[in-house]
Amino acid sequence: MTMETAETLETTQADRNRVLVEIEDLKKYFPIHKGLLHRTVGQVKAVDGVTLSIRKGETFGLVGESGCGKSTFGRVLLRLQSATSGKVLFKDRDIHALNAKEMQKLREEMQIIFQDPFGSLNPRFLVKDIIGEPLRIHRNMSGKKIDARVVELMELVGLDPSRRNRYPHEFSGGQRQRIGIARAIALNPQFIVADEAVSALDVSVQSQVINLLMKLQKEMGLTFLFIAHGLNVVRHISDRIGVMYLGKLVEVAETEAMFAAPLHPYTAALLSAIPKPTPKKKLERIVLQGDVPSPANPPAGCRFHTRCPFVQDKCREQEPQLEEKLPGRLAACHYPLLEKGNGPSTVQVSIHAK
Ligand code: SF4
């Protein structure tokens, strides 16, 4: 073995050691049924071939418009929904191949924080029972031990433990989300999917909850998949960001690199939707045309071609693959923005249906 080969193998192994969740060509299709006989007449391709590695201790932000498949992706990742095909490896174990008992054990390490702090908490349960439920199910703990752990968890997420004998409706939206977070971290998980965890909250409360998640990540060494529909929400918390469009990842990059110069026209469009308090100069606008196509019948070639201002013949015929366009920067586009020399420093883009 040459020195170079040995070094390459070492680097590959080091990269592998950093990965907590590895997703390989993951697909989730929902059948469309019609008629009295309930015949399958098509499929909604909610997640359509996503490959991604999430590293230990990082926050990976996942963004895209409503219906792009990001929440379904998060759920299939935790096996809350089955996969149509593909693999999800958590610490090198294919979670969709585990039996029920193995999966229940693994659930201790993989948790979810839901979007709706109102709907995700059982209104008939006391807060102490909601937070303590995973401890009762997974750890078989006694009442006293659960109570002590509930007190500890409430303090950790900034809630007053003396209010543990109250019901969820006695708490504000932000406090209810903190209850959801306390429940999610009760079993000391390693990986948490935060599915639009701050989307239903006021902007000021959003930042408090994001700061709490960052604090917990530091203290507990957590890894997050943080799902949101706006890039501005994920910027503060994410190390890397993935942008999803019609069930596919179209760009993956380190957060600041993406904000400095997005490669994919869709990412640039999402960035332009973020209000800028003091725009320094008037910039050229790029208008996206048409509505988002149906995931049951996605366009041929590049899925974004029906709305892309840079569309060319090749885009309609050949599907671009997600590949490295710059070191550490992946994009699925035949003509990424930097190659055209019209990155966001000279062009302002915005999402508009014509
Ligand atoms: Fe636009 Fe073509 Fe790139 Fe698709 S491949 S995003 S249509 S330039």
Side-chain angles (χ1 to χ4, degrees):
M1 191 187 298
T2 65
M3 192 102 96
E4 209 175 305
T5 318
E7 267 175 26
T8 312
L9 283 177
E10 232 171 72
T11 316
T12 313
Q13 190 54 42
D15 285 347
R16 285 204 57 77
N17 291 343
R18 291 173 64 205
V19 172
L20 184 69
V21 189
E22 188 142 27
I23 300 118
E24 293 174 11
D25 199 19
L26 192 66
K27 293 182 183 171
K28 177 65 183 175
Y29 296 173
F30 295 99
I32 303 167
H33 300 295
K34 229 179 181 180
L36 278 176
L37 296 175
H38 216 54
R39 276 186 307 141
T40 304
V41 293
Q43 287 178 315
V44 173
K45 296 173 177 173
V47 178
D48 199 11
V50 172
T51 297
L52 175 71
S53 297
I54 300 176
R55 301 168 189 153
K56 280 177 198 149
E58 81 167 336
T59 296
F60 188 90
L62 185 64
V63 297
E65 291 163 285
S66 297
C68 73
K70 55 193 189 302
S71 285
T72 304
F73 175 70
R75 281 155 198 265
V76 176
L77 216 60
L78 298 180
R79 208 175 127 179
L80 297 175
Q81 288 180 335
S82 62
T84 302
S85 66
K87 279 185 180 170
V88 178
L89 304 175
F90 180 77
K91 297 202 285 189
D92 292 331
R93 297 178 79 191
D94 182 357
I95 69 160
H96 286 270
L98 298 179
N99 64 33
K101 204 173 168 194
E102 289 167 331
M103 195 57 220
Q104 191 185 347
K105 185 78 193 127
L106 201 70
R107 289 225 176 277
E108 296 183 19
E109 300 181 55
M110 308 173 86
Q111 292 289 324
I112 186 165
I113 302 166
F114 292 101
Q115 171 181 7
D116 182 4
F118 301 93
S120 62
L121 306 177
N122 190 327
R124 289 172 299 159
F125 277 23
L126 294 171
V127 164
K128 68 175 183 185
D129 296 327
I130 292 170
I131 299 175
E133 193 181 24
L135 299 165
R136 193 173 45 75
I137 295 172
H138 289 269
R139 297 280 161 83
N140 204 15
M141 282 167 92
S142 69
K144 260 190 178 172
K145 276 192 178 164
I146 290 180
D147 196 54
R149 178 72 176 141
V150 168
V151 168
E152 197 178 86
L153 287 164
M154 288 183 79
E155 280 170 351
L156 204 57
V157 299
L159 288 169
D160 178 1
S162 69
R163 299 180 74 201
R164 64 190 182 282
N165 287 313
R166 299 197 182 187
Y167 290 95
H169 72 264
E170 297 177 71
F171 292 79
S172 68
Q175 288 171 333
R176 284 189 227 201
Q177 199 53 295
R178 285 172 193 263
I179 295 169
I181 293 169
R183 180 176 60 183
I185 61 169
L187 298 168
N188 283 323
Q190 292 188 32
F191 178 58
I192 293 182
V193 173
D195 183 11
E196 304 260 16
V198 298
S199 302
L201 304 174
D202 291 342
V203 177
S204 61
V205 183
Q206 275 186 358
S207 56
Q208 289 168 17
V209 173
I210 285 176
N211 287 339
L212 169 65
L213 292 174
M214 290 171 79
K215 176 182 98 95
L216 293 173
Q217 180 178 42
K218 218 171 173 186
E219 290 171 3
M220 301 175 67
L222 292 166
T223 302
F224 282 116
L225 174 68
F226 191 90
I227 299 171
H229 53 260
L231 273 163
N232 55 333
V233 178
V234 297
R235 182 178 193 173
H236 189 52
I237 193 170
S238 303
D239 300 292
R240 288 188 302 148
I241 294 175
V243 178
M244 218 167 162
Y245 186 79
L246 279 182
K248 285 185 180 282
L249 279 174
V250 296
E251 182 162 358
V252 176
E254 305 278 337
T255 302
E256 288 317 313
M258 183 180 281
F259 271 77
L263 295 184
H264 198 283
Y266 180 60
T267 311
L270 289 180
L271 276 173
S272 77
I274 301 173
K276 294 164 192 69
T278 49
K280 285 193 183 129
K281 53 182 175 181
K282 196 165 169 33
L283 301 167
E284 184 191 341
R285 289 170 68 101
I286 299 171
V287 178
L288 296 188
Q289 300 186 18
D291 296 324
V292 184
S294 163
N297 189 19
C302 171
R303 292 185 177 200
F304 189 57
H305 87 249
T306 53
R307 301 171 78 201
C308 181
F310 303 117
V311 61
Q312 298 191 32
D313 288 347
K314 185 179 176 184
C315 309
R316 298 186 185 92
E317 289 152 17
Q318 283 179 34
E319 184 171 6
Q321 300 304 310
L322 185 71
E323 53 194 20
E324 199 163 38
K325 302 290 182 188
L326 290 172
R329 302 208 44 192
L330 309 177
C333 175
H334 295 307
Y335 308 101
L337 287 172
L338 284 186
E339 284 182 13
K340 289 193 283 286
N342 55 359
S345 57
T346 55
V347 175
Q348 181 184 13
V349 293
S350 57
I351 299 176
H352 288 291
K354 254 192 178 170

